[in-house]
Amino acid sequence: TEGKTALANSEYNSAIQYFEKLEARYPYGPYAEQAMLETAYAYFKSDEMASAIAAANRFIRTHPTHPHVDYAYYLKGLASFDEERSTIEKWFGAGDASMRDPKALRDAYDAFREVATRFPGSKYATDSRKRLSYLTNAMAMSDVHAARYYYSRGAYVAAVNRTKSVIENFQRTPAVEDALGIQALAYRDLGLADLMGDTRRVLEKNF
């Protein structure tokens, strides 16, 4: 009760201390299980995303068949997605997710996919599916940014490899158009006129 009161009053550090004490003193039973989830949430609310992810992972490992394990995955997804966000992004919703650490995007994607596929009836499933769509586009654009960087540095083979990743793995995203454009330019600069022509034809036919 003390922990929940602190949480409701946005006293997140105090809430974490209460829940961690409870878990240490009474490690078995429903109160300890709830305390683990509440700890993860309190870390999330206090912008300590790495700790929130660690707490969610610990709950998932310890209670893989718990009725609320879907929430642990969902919270892990939220924390992974927010881990790289700046203060300005959090306040104003600005920023481009595709510019963040690709690993954080992938971790968020994997967590939300777990909710959507393993727990389709969960109250978090609909939102998870929406976030999966957004993250798919963000991960595709992340590869485009990498391809564009390699191209600007004259690393044309690396640029082609990144664009291939977009075309093969993210076929239905808007990023494919950019990927094909960069790929055609890279083939041109490599002197591979036939491949450049093939890529241009695909680009013109589809976009």
Side-chain angles (χ1 to χ4, degrees):
T1 300
E2 294 284 359
K4 294 281 272 186
T5 300
L7 203 56
N9 292 331
S10 301
E11 298 168 358
Y12 302 121
N13 288 334
S14 295
I16 290 166
Q17 290 175 9
Y18 280 120
F19 293 133
E20 289 183 343
K21 280 181 184 177
L22 188 156
E23 199 184 336
R25 294 178 184 177
Y26 312 99
Y28 305 107
Y31 292 122
E33 294 166 3
Q34 184 65 25
M36 288 177 72
L37 280 178
E38 299 287 4
T39 299
Y41 178 70
Y43 276 127
F44 174 74
K45 292 297 289 183
S46 61
D47 279 340
E48 295 184 48
M49 300 307 171
S51 295
I53 294 166
N57 278 333
R58 193 161 61 88
F59 183 89
I60 291 165
R61 284 195 307 270
T62 309
H63 307 289
T65 59
H66 193 278
H68 299 307
V69 74
D70 59 331
Y71 173 71
Y73 278 110
Y74 180 71
L75 190 59
K76 178 183 175 181
L78 293 178
S80 297
F81 181 74
D82 277 357
E83 194 171 10
E84 295 287 317
R85 292 178 81 193
S86 67
T87 303
I88 292 175
E89 285 183 273
K90 289 171 185 174
W91 277 100
F92 299 106
D96 182 354
S98 67
M99 301 299 291
R100 297 184 208 157
D101 178 9
K103 182 182 181 303
L105 295 178
R106 171 56 65 180
D107 288 345
Y109 181 90
D110 290 343
F112 290 129
R113 183 179 59 184
E114 200 76 15
V115 177
T117 56
R118 278 187 57 193
F119 311 100
S122 166
K123 64 181 179 179
Y124 308 107
T126 298
D127 189 61
S128 292
R129 282 190 286 270
K130 291 178 182 176
R131 290 175 184 275
L132 283 173
S133 178
Y134 177 83
L135 284 164
T136 298
N137 290 331
M139 288 189 294
M141 283 307 301
S142 178
D143 273 351
V144 166
H145 294 320
R148 189 173 286 123
Y149 171 77
Y150 287 134
Y151 178 78
S152 72
R153 305 285 290 186
Y156 303 127
V157 173
V160 167
N161 288 335
R162 277 304 180 109
T163 60
K164 284 181 177 178
S165 172
V166 176
I167 295 162
E168 292 169 4
N169 298 318
F170 305 104
Q171 293 179 6
R172 294 178 180 156
T173 65
V176 171
E177 182 177 4
D178 287 329
L180 286 166
I182 296 168
Q183 188 176 98
L185 291 172
Y187 281 141
R188 180 198 65 187
D189 293 344
L190 285 166
L192 301 172
D194 289 345
L195 289 174
M196 181 195 73
D198 291 342
T199 304
R200 280 191 60 183
R201 279 189 289 276
V202 172
L203 180 61
E204 290 165 0
K205 181 178 179 180
N206 290 281
F207 301 97

